[in-house]
Amino acid sequence: MRSKDRISYFYDGDVGSVYFGPNHPMKPHRLCMTHHLVLSYDLHKKMEIYRPHKAYPVELAQFHSADYVEFLHRITPDTQDLYLNDLAKYNLGEDCPVFENLFEFCQIYAGGTLDAARRLNNKLCDIAINWAGGLHHAKKCSASGFCYINDLVLGILELLKYHARVLYIDIDVHHGDGVEEAFYFTDRVMTVSFHKYGDLFFPGTGDVKEIGEREGKYYAINVPLKDGIDDSSFNRLFKIIIDKVVETYQPGAIVLQCGADSLAGDRLGCFNLSIDGHAECVKFVKKFNIPLLVTGGGGYTKENVARCWTVETGVLLDAELPNEIPDNDYIKYFGPDYSLKIPHGHIENLNSKSYISTIKMQVMESLRSIQHAPGVQMHEVPPDFYIPDFDEDGQNPDERVDQHTQDKQIQRDDEYYEGDNDNDNPEDV
């Protein structure tokens, strides 16, 4: 039984086996937990599951500087001591450590977002999901905030080959600064970020007054929030703003970053959103019936990240999920109640009605400054998949990617990473 929307879902088990380090909050293992929860609810039967291709360095350099990409390709935990100046230059260190298979990790999550954009462009699906993507802080020449390659910028650049205007929406608790910065001077991408702002909260940008510059003036929208925002305030603000944005901007495609660190109880977050409140944003964006690319992002309480993205996969499939979590390889993490939903948080809501009202007015004022959706002189569409000539005989056959391999659906059971390689106990909060 297929959903009426054709949905492509990208996953590679290898992405969840990388390990940032014992004290690092980023746990890619949450992606394995999410995937197994999706499988346990039989959601995979309602969509097409693909293993993404590993993005080539030349694809990553469509946005990132070639020297930065080359450095990520070259650096390893064993050699990092030889490159102390470069580590500082490219901002690798405590937040963005060098770990085993770092570059391959980047290739997989970026490849998933690129493949998702290409399937949307070629009308092979209506919605594409890459929970491994959404690393919105990475800059053109440096890593930032646990992010190395900005897959979102690469995916948006791909969508711009076919669409005059792309709308980017970010509901991570942190400001989507890397994506905003990449498109700050253009009207072809509108970025809308809902995030915690103030108290030196990372990354420190995202004031309501940051609206874009030059051709991009008024096309960056920031919704700065304070601690403790709840479902009703967040959803009301989200729906009013996004409704007006879509009406005014008329995007040809939407990219939605669903960072789960905006949930109540997140290790690094400070909002009170329930999973239902978070998922309500996904449901609302889906209703526009505009080609939609959905990614993950932040999220540091692993079991809640897995719950959230599974519920949101269900929302995108119009599937109601029973609250009792079915048996799966990670069931121990979801005890003691083994339920899908989490309660609201209890942080004091510092967002007064007058504060919310002021923010809304300022955003609406910016939107009124846009006369109508900007027109774009369309040019010949560049090829989807520019890959330089390789000596095929000299290539490792496991690393060559042809169209058939890209599109091959995942069938094997033995490729899902099942070990718990992140030193977290299920009881950790």
Side-chain angles (χ1 to χ4, degrees):
M1 166 66 191
R2 287 218 181 274
S3 153
K4 57 184 184 297
D5 288 305
R6 294 167 308 152
I7 299 190
S8 295
Y9 169 103
F10 294 88
Y11 177 73
D12 184 323
D14 289 343
V15 84
S17 63
V18 301
Y19 184 45
F20 276 59
N23 300 313
H24 200 288
M26 176 61 105
K27 309 289 186 189
H29 183 226
R30 64 202 178 130
L31 298 163
C32 298
M33 293 170 64
T34 301
H35 186 66
H36 279 261
L37 208 47
V38 164
L39 294 177
S40 73
Y41 276 105
D42 284 341
L43 295 177
H44 59 295
K45 295 178 179 173
K46 299 180 179 178
M47 45 189 187
E48 298 168 338
I49 312 280
Y50 295 100
R51 186 192 285 122
H53 85 287
K54 289 179 183 158
Y56 288 89
V58 71
E59 292 179 279
L60 304 180
Q62 298 290 306
F63 168 59
H64 293 284
S65 65
D67 61 312
Y68 173 54
V69 172
E70 198 271 327
F71 179 72
L72 287 179
H73 200 173
R74 186 175 72 232
I75 194 76
T76 68
D78 295 335
T79 62
Q80 62 178 324
D81 290 344
L82 306 174
Y83 296 103
L84 296 179
N85 288 341
D86 283 341
L87 288 172
K89 176 182 172 184
Y90 298 120
N91 199 34
L92 268 62
E94 199 175 337
D95 272 2
C96 301
V98 176
F99 51 80
E100 212 62 58
N101 300 318
L102 166 60
F103 191 67
E104 185 184 32
F105 171 67
C106 295
Q107 288 180 292
I108 293 170
Y109 77 72
T113 300
L114 284 166
D115 285 351
R118 287 171 185 146
R119 288 194 73 77
L120 287 167
N121 279 345
N122 290 297
K123 297 186 164 54
L124 296 172
C125 61
D126 305 302
I127 297 170
I129 303 170
N130 177 28
W131 292 126
L135 279 78
H136 59 172
H137 296 306
K139 304 295 181 8
K140 183 182 176 72
C141 303
S142 65
S144 176
F146 317 159
C147 306
Y148 302 83
I149 291 293
N150 199 315
D151 63 291
L152 294 158
V153 172
L154 294 169
I156 290 167
L157 289 171
E158 199 65 32
L159 291 167
L160 287 172
K161 293 178 181 177
Y162 284 71
H163 299 282
R165 291 174 301 283
V166 175
L167 170 61
Y168 171 72
I169 304 170
D170 189 317
I171 58 171
D172 194 290
V173 78
H174 300 96
H175 178 227
D177 60 336
V179 184
E180 177 182 284
E181 191 177 293
F183 300 110
Y184 207 60
F185 299 112
T186 179
D187 58 8
R188 290 201 57 199
V189 179
M190 179 174 274
T191 59
V192 187
S193 179
F194 297 78
H195 51 267
K196 152 79 178 179
Y197 178 74
D199 310 325
L200 302 178
F201 194 74
F202 184 86
T205 51
D207 191 334
V208 72
K209 298 184 186 72
E210 292 167 31
I211 56 171
E213 290 177 27
R214 304 206 294 256
E215 285 78 32
K217 192 171 183 184
Y218 306 119
Y219 293 92
I221 289 177
N222 284 298
V223 185
L225 301 166
K226 300 180 181 182
D227 288 10
I229 194 157
D230 56 23
D231 287 351
S232 60
S233 311
F234 192 93
N235 288 145
R236 200 159 49 241
L237 199 53
F238 182 87
K239 289 176 181 180
I240 288 168
I241 289 172
I242 295 302
D243 210 29
K244 191 66 180 169
V245 162
V246 171
E247 179 196 323
T248 308
Y249 190 61
Q250 297 172 25
I254 298 176
V255 175
L256 176 59
Q257 196 267 21
C258 298
D261 47 8
S262 43
L263 290 175
D266 188 82
R267 288 182 189 184
L268 300 186
C270 52
F271 286 175
N272 285 329
L273 298 188
S274 70
I275 286 173
D276 283 341
H278 199 273
E280 186 62 33
C281 299
V282 178
K283 191 179 290 184
F284 187 73
V285 173
K286 179 180 187 284
K287 282 180 184 158
F288 291 107
N289 291 319
I290 293 169
L292 178 60
L293 198 169
V294 178
T295 72
Y300 306 100
T301 302
K302 294 187 309 179
E303 57 276 19
N304 290 348
V305 175
R307 286 178 166 106
C308 182
W309 292 345
T310 300
V311 167
E312 288 170 352
T313 304
V315 162
L316 293 166
L317 287 163
D318 296 323
E320 280 291 323
L321 306 185
N323 192 32
E324 189 177 338
I325 291 176
D327 193 27
N328 68 83
D329 286 357
Y330 299 100
I331 191 69
K332 64 178 189 279
Y333 284 93
F334 301 105
D337 56 355
Y338 306 101
S339 65
L340 199 52
K341 302 298 164 68
I342 61 163
H344 302 261
H346 301 293
I347 297 172
E348 184 189 354
N349 186 355
L350 301 180
N351 299 273
S352 65
K353 283 194 171 134
S354 66
Y355 177 75
I356 296 263
S357 173
T358 304
I359 293 295
K360 186 179 76 182
M361 270 168 28
Q362 288 176 280
V363 170
M364 290 303 179
E365 194 57 44
S366 275
L367 286 169
R368 268 195 293 278
S369 305
I370 300 171
Q371 292 307 304
H372 50 77
V376 174
Q377 196 73 41
M378 293 307 280
H379 301 286
E380 186 183 345
V381 176
D384 267 4
F385 204 57
Y386 167 66
I387 297 299
D389 290 334
F390 287 113
D391 169 12
E392 293 234 340
D393 296 331
Q395 280 281 101
N396 177 343
D398 293 335
E399 292 184 2
R400 283 211 309 271
V401 183
D402 58 19
Q403 192 62 39
H404 172 70
T405 313
Q406 279 184 62
D407 285 345
K408 192 165 62 181
Q409 291 189 311
I410 293 176
Q411 301 290 2
R412 290 173 28 218
D413 291 329
D414 60 353
E415 70 194 6
Y416 305 128
Y417 173 71
E418 293 180 5
D420 182 4
N421 192 24
D422 74 354
N423 294 9
D424 267 7
N425 295 316
E427 297 79 37
D428 283 352
V429 175

